[in-house]
Amino acid sequence: MSVADTLAEDMIAGGDPSWLLRETGYELLRESTFETRFALSNGFLGVRGGLASHLGACRAVPPRIYVAGLFDTPTPDSVVPELVPAPDWTQVRILLPDGPLMRCPDRSSRALTLDMRRGALFMEARQTCNAPLDVCLRSLRLVSLHARAIGMQVIELRIESGVSDLTFEAAFGPTDFELAPERAELDLKAWRTWRSGRSLAIAAAASLEVDGIERQPVLRGDLTWNWSWTAQPGQIVTFRRIIAVTRHHATDVHAGARARKELAAARTLGWRGILARHEAAWAERWRCSDIRVTGDDAAQAALRFAIYHLNGAANPEDPHVSVAARALTGDDYRGHVFWDTEIFLVPFYALTWPEAARTLLMYRFRTLDAARAKAAQMGCRGALYAWESADSGSEVTPAQTVGPDRKILDVLCGSQEQHISADVAYAVWQYWQATEDEAFLQEAGAEIILETARFWTWRAALEADGRRHIRTVIGPDEYHEGVDDNAFTNGMARWTIARGLDVAALVQARWPETWARLARSLDLGEPELAHWREAAEAIATGFDPATGLFEQFAGFSALETVDLNAYAGRSVPMDVVLGRERTQRAQVIKQADVVALLVLLPEAFPGASGGTNFDHYEPRCGHGSSLSRAMHGLAAARLGRAEAALSYFRRSAAIDLADTHVAIGGGIHVAALGGVWMIAILGFAGLSLRADGLAFDPCLPADWQSLDFRVRWRGRDLAVAIDGTTRVLRVALDRGAPMTVFAGGAAFVIAMDRPLTVEGVGG
């Protein structure tokens, strides 16, 4: 059996369809969507899921290969860095004497299969039109989760009929973002970015066999190979290419040597060894993070798709980078990092892959000086993180953009959307609650929380009414700019200051030497901490005890009320429908704002006010952001509204999986995928973090017969099973010391030999 047959059979025959993503046929206008949906990534290398070869004129979009952290500005006068596309290492051409072999493949035969269980992409196409050869082409592609510098490609050609001279060319395609060449040799190329001074090196090896016999190339150049022979019926042609990529944050004369070292190790393993270790790495990730749902096949498939992309987005080995808004799957947002990472992704990583969560937060620690500089620019102490961040942590939000009416608009998020500094602190605290990683807290986490708490104390100005106000901000609802006392911003600011005080007390009590170092380096003492206590109490909240409502921002209630039901079925956001100016004068919300506060700080909503606020703001939200429905779904699940939450779950998953009006050519909406996981685990399973254990309050949708998953908590591995029919919760401790679990209003101690079964939960 041939290589491609073996791989195809392993991936497809008898497999659970929820592990496979398939598309058959070919449509030019949808190719960009396919490339996003079928992307491969290991947190360092990203490869969009396009065709394995340039099939004549059928290629509609340029290939995209990404290397995490490879930023540069596109022109000398540009100030906004972008993630630089790397040279396309997947490029091949298969030539007949009169042109490309695959100039007109049978479109109905073209098939893509993404094996999410193994992180591998399989493609098949057939040549059937008037050509001297009938050929079946199959390919396998992967980027190694075991050795992140390594990518591998296997292409098989079956010559089914015909005789013709045939040429197979393998090369590295150009990129539309120019790189300065530094070095070019037969097995290696190295470049540097023009302005940021980053180094990129790629080493590669390739081989071609005809009927199992290796052929030497007739031409050989810098990372190029060319083979020619006479194709005969029955021949099986196998092409293999292994590449090794290294990136360095400064021009590095040793970059080529490091790439060659990585390549040499991969070649020693061979393609089967590379595949085996890659599969083992994916198997471990799935062991820790898989979710199994019975009774809802669509939900099962959506969760597998979400977890596949989440596991492929992070690299726990590199604290210089974080997960961008589109991860390594597309060009949208230029590879920049937003609040998405801390609020929508860190929960998944903290509870299934703490090493990855830690690295993402270490990125924020490495960029803390840039956050301090931004705070200082506006006259505050402490740290204000960039709304859009690249490699250095400096603010890289574009100053202007083009609106729907083609007018130039000022972008104010970079200066006014300041809740990012509370979001980062929130993620640090959630990671600490989930892991109790003492080394991280002492090395980085405490300093982040202290400096963001300090910022909010300075930012919230004491006024004549005796309250502290935070004026001229943008909350998560970006339709309204320059508002005062945004409930989400103020609530998160109060929370951050309170956590700053908690961290100060904790570090003083448990690690006095660490506290002495921090107090000295930050010039932080008890008089300032006393000031923080006063500030946290005095920040305006916008909460009205009479109605139980938080006013989204000062004056929101006086704005025009708009019935969004009248615009059902629209295909564009509400700010486009109403126009920018009217939207700013209306109670039309871009995305979860007060509802987001309800999700993150449920304790801030006394009594029944959580449901009151949800019911008030849900009909006012236009969901103009891919993040919004996930927040609403999680809030609905926690309120016990499982079916409403399931509707939001499906619509969040559909952003990337359904062929709707939402364009995904610019990359996967990875935060929405994190939100899908959050609805399932933090919503339907009702998992929440406590200082003394984990709590469960399940609320499964009617169709979900069961929900099974695993989580990690403070060095422990837990297996959780929820039976929606019998309303039974089972929690087993597979590794680690005994711990406390809360369920059904009671506390239970579980151990490896003492699992927990609780009846009558959920419903």
Side-chain angles (χ1 to χ4, degrees):
M1 183 175 287
S2 71
V3 170
D5 275 345
T6 301
L7 296 171
E9 185 140 323
D10 285 347
M11 285 190 288
I12 297 171
D16 181 345
S18 67
W19 289 110
L20 302 175
L21 188 65
R22 290 173 169 169
E23 286 285 353
T24 301
Y26 183 77
E27 298 178 35
L28 281 172
L29 295 179
R30 297 178 64 209
E31 184 64 15
S32 182
T33 292
F34 291 150
E35 293 216 342
T36 290
R37 198 171 288 158
F38 289 81
L40 300 168
S41 177
N42 61 17
F44 175 64
L45 296 177
V47 183
R48 284 171 62 82
L51 302 179
S53 62
H54 292 279
L55 301 187
C58 293
R59 187 83 187 222
V61 293
R64 273 291 189 263
I65 309 291
Y66 301 102
V67 177
L70 189 66
F71 284 98
D72 199 15
T73 50
T75 62
D77 56 349
S78 174
V79 296
V80 178
E82 302 181 15
L83 192 63
V84 178
D88 175 20
W89 57 267
T90 68
Q91 185 180 82
V92 301
R93 290 203 308 162
I94 308 167
L95 302 173
L96 296 167
D98 62 345
L101 170 67
M102 286 285 186
R103 73 185 75 184
C104 53
D106 178 359
R107 293 191 175 197
S108 66
S109 76
R110 185 264 195 174
L112 284 173
T113 301
L114 177 64
D115 183 343
M116 295 180 288
R117 180 174 57 91
R118 299 198 303 170
L121 180 66
F122 180 75
M123 193 277 282
E124 181 172 354
R126 288 181 176 271
Q127 172 77 46
T128 58
C129 65
N130 187 21
L133 296 178
D134 286 339
V135 173
C136 176
L137 180 148
R138 292 174 173 174
S139 77
L140 171 86
R141 183 188 302 167
L142 63 84
V143 289
S144 173
L145 198 67
H146 169 259
R148 287 182 170 81
I150 302 301
M152 187 176 76
Q153 175 185 38
V154 179
I155 297 177
E156 180 188 272
L157 291 176
R158 286 176 173 263
I159 312 299
E160 297 184 334
S161 65
V163 176
S164 176
D165 290 338
L166 198 62
T167 297
F168 193 107
E169 295 180 353
F172 277 60
T175 173
D176 58 4
F177 201 122
E178 191 176 2
L179 292 164
E182 288 277 293
R183 187 174 176 184
E185 300 174 20
L186 289 180
D187 64 340
L188 173 76
K189 280 192 173 182
W191 302 262
R192 63 173 172 81
T193 55
W194 286 101
R195 282 158 286 279
S196 63
R198 303 292 185 256
S199 291
L200 174 70
I202 303 178
S207 66
L208 184 136
E209 296 175 357
V210 178
D211 292 335
I213 300 174
E214 184 171 352
R215 289 180 175 261
Q216 295 303 309
V218 297
L219 292 174
R220 188 75 171 84
D222 302 335
L223 295 187
T224 63
W225 299 261
N226 186 301
W227 295 270
S228 294
W229 73 99
T230 300
Q232 305 282 345
Q235 281 183 346
I236 296 177
V237 182
T238 304
F239 168 76
R240 302 187 188 101
R241 173 161 42 190
I242 301 171
I243 61 101
V245 181
T246 58
R247 178 220 72 218
H248 307 274
H249 277 259
T251 301
D252 191 336
V253 295
H254 301 295
R258 296 177 190 181
R260 279 188 171 135
K261 182 179 179 181
E262 294 277 3
L263 180 64
R267 296 186 71 184
T268 299
L269 283 175
W271 75 270
R272 290 183 185 277
I274 293 170
L275 181 62
R277 294 197 179 188
H278 170 74
E279 289 177 339
W282 268 106
E284 174 60 15
R285 290 296 339 117
W286 284 111
R287 185 191 70 80
C288 296
S289 61
D290 189 24
I291 298 173
R292 294 175 299 284
V293 174
T294 59
D296 190 338
D297 291 344
Q300 178 68 84
L303 283 164
R304 289 259 165 83
F305 180 79
I307 295 168
Y308 162 76
H309 279 289
L310 290 166
N311 277 326
N315 178 8
E317 300 166 6
D318 188 356
H320 291 90
V321 301
S322 185
V323 178
R326 296 292 181 264
L328 293 174
T329 68
D331 289 337
D332 278 5
Y333 297 107
R334 303 174 174 88
H336 295 173
V337 179
F338 293 76
W339 73 309
D340 309 22
T341 304
E342 282 71 35
I343 298 302
F344 293 87
L345 303 185
V346 166
F348 168 80
Y349 296 123
L351 288 166
T352 68
W353 198 5
E355 299 85 355
R358 189 186 206 275
T359 298
L360 297 179
L361 296 173
M362 286 303 295
Y363 163 81
R364 291 299 191 182
F365 179 67
R366 295 180 70 91
T367 57
L368 185 56
D369 281 344
R372 290 187 177 108
K374 183 178 178 182
Q377 288 172 4
M378 59 182 301
C380 293
R381 295 186 69 194
L384 172 58
Y385 279 96
W387 179 244
E388 295 188 32
S389 179
D391 50 352
S392 70
S394 298
E395 182 61 69
V396 294
T397 303
Q400 293 182 317
T401 189
V402 179
D405 57 1
R406 312 308 298 169
K407 292 182 179 178
I408 300 296
L409 301 175
D410 291 333
V411 177
L412 301 179
C413 299
S415 59
Q416 294 187 10
E417 201 150 0
Q418 298 166 9
H419 62 82
I420 177 67
S421 263
D423 306 328
V424 172
Y426 186 88
V428 169
W429 185 255
Q430 294 302 302
Y431 173 77
W432 165 249
Q433 292 287 88
T435 66
E436 218 168 48
D437 183 343
E438 296 181 359
F440 168 78
L441 191 69
Q442 293 182 75
E443 175 188 354
E447 190 168 348
I448 291 173
I449 291 180
L450 292 169
E451 283 291 76
T452 50
R454 171 179 271 170
F455 167 76
W456 289 115
T457 304
W458 278 74
R459 181 66 177 87
L462 183 63
E463 298 187 9
D465 61 356
R467 309 298 294 174
R468 288 182 175 267
H469 300 274
I470 303 176
R471 301 193 180 277
T472 317
V473 298
I474 298 173
D477 170 23
E478 294 166 337
Y479 286 164
H480 298 91
E481 300 169 337
V483 303
D484 299 332
D485 290 333
N486 169 249
F488 181 89
T489 302
N490 286 27
M492 292 293 287
R494 284 166 56 95
W495 178 93
T496 303
I497 298 171
R499 295 295 77 72
L501 292 165
D502 289 344
V503 165
L506 175 66
V507 176
Q508 287 183 68
R510 292 176 63 173
W511 309 289
E513 291 184 0
T514 299
W515 175 252
R517 172 180 59 81
L518 283 171
R520 183 171 57 254
S521 65
L522 300 180
D523 189 20
L524 179 60
E526 183 54 37
E528 184 175 352
L529 294 176
H531 182 55
W532 291 10
R533 295 184 187 95
E534 174 274 319
E537 290 295 325
I539 292 177
T541 66
F543 182 71
D544 182 355
T547 62
L549 289 174
F550 282 89
E551 187 175 28
Q552 184 175 294
F553 56 80
F556 178 85
S557 301
L559 300 179
E560 174 192 1
T561 301
V562 175
D563 181 10
L564 296 186
N565 291 325
Y567 300 92
R570 58 190 165 81
S571 60
V572 294
M574 282 303 301
D575 62 329
V576 177
V577 173
L578 299 178
R580 181 180 172 89
E581 292 185 2
R582 185 185 174 194
T583 301
Q584 292 178 336
R585 299 194 304 269
Q587 293 183 33
V588 177
I589 304 167
K590 179 178 179 179
Q591 64 172 308
D593 197 303
V594 173
V595 170
L597 187 65
L598 171 61
V599 167
L600 300 186
L601 303 181
E603 67 276 9
F605 291 75
S609 65
T612 299
N613 279 271
F614 185 86
D615 291 337
H616 181 78
Y617 285 106
E618 183 193 30
R620 290 165 168 78
C621 187
H623 302 295
S625 165
S626 62
L627 309 178
S628 184
R629 290 184 173 90
M631 276 291 185
H632 280 77
L634 179 49
R638 287 180 171 173
L639 290 169
R641 306 175 187 184
E643 300 311 312
L646 183 61
S647 175
Y648 280 117
F649 174 96
R650 297 198 193 286
R651 283 183 282 172
S652 293
I655 293 170
D656 289 320
L657 273 175
D659 293 324
T660 64
H661 63 274
V662 178
I664 67 166
I668 286 291
H669 297 73
V670 70
L673 298 180
V676 168
W677 181 90
M678 290 166 66
I679 294 174
I681 303 305
L682 308 184
F684 296 141
L687 185 152
S688 60
L689 302 175
R690 293 176 50 130
D692 51 354
L694 290 177
F696 295 90
D697 185 14
C699 180
L700 298 191
D703 290 342
W704 288 29
Q705 298 166 12
S706 66
L707 173 64
D708 298 78
F709 60 95
R710 303 180 67 87
V711 292
R712 295 177 67 184
W713 185 80
R714 299 184 183 178
R716 300 163 175 88
D717 288 346
L718 294 88
V720 182
I722 302 169
D723 190 315
T725 304
T726 61
R727 296 178 59 193
V728 172
L729 166 72
R730 295 181 176 87
V731 184
L733 184 62
D734 291 345
R735 181 177 68 92
M739 61 173 289
T740 303
V741 169
F742 299 84
F748 305 88
V749 176
I750 64 171
M752 292 179 63
D753 61 349
R754 191 166 65 250
L756 171 68
T757 299
V758 182
E759 299 180 352
V761 298

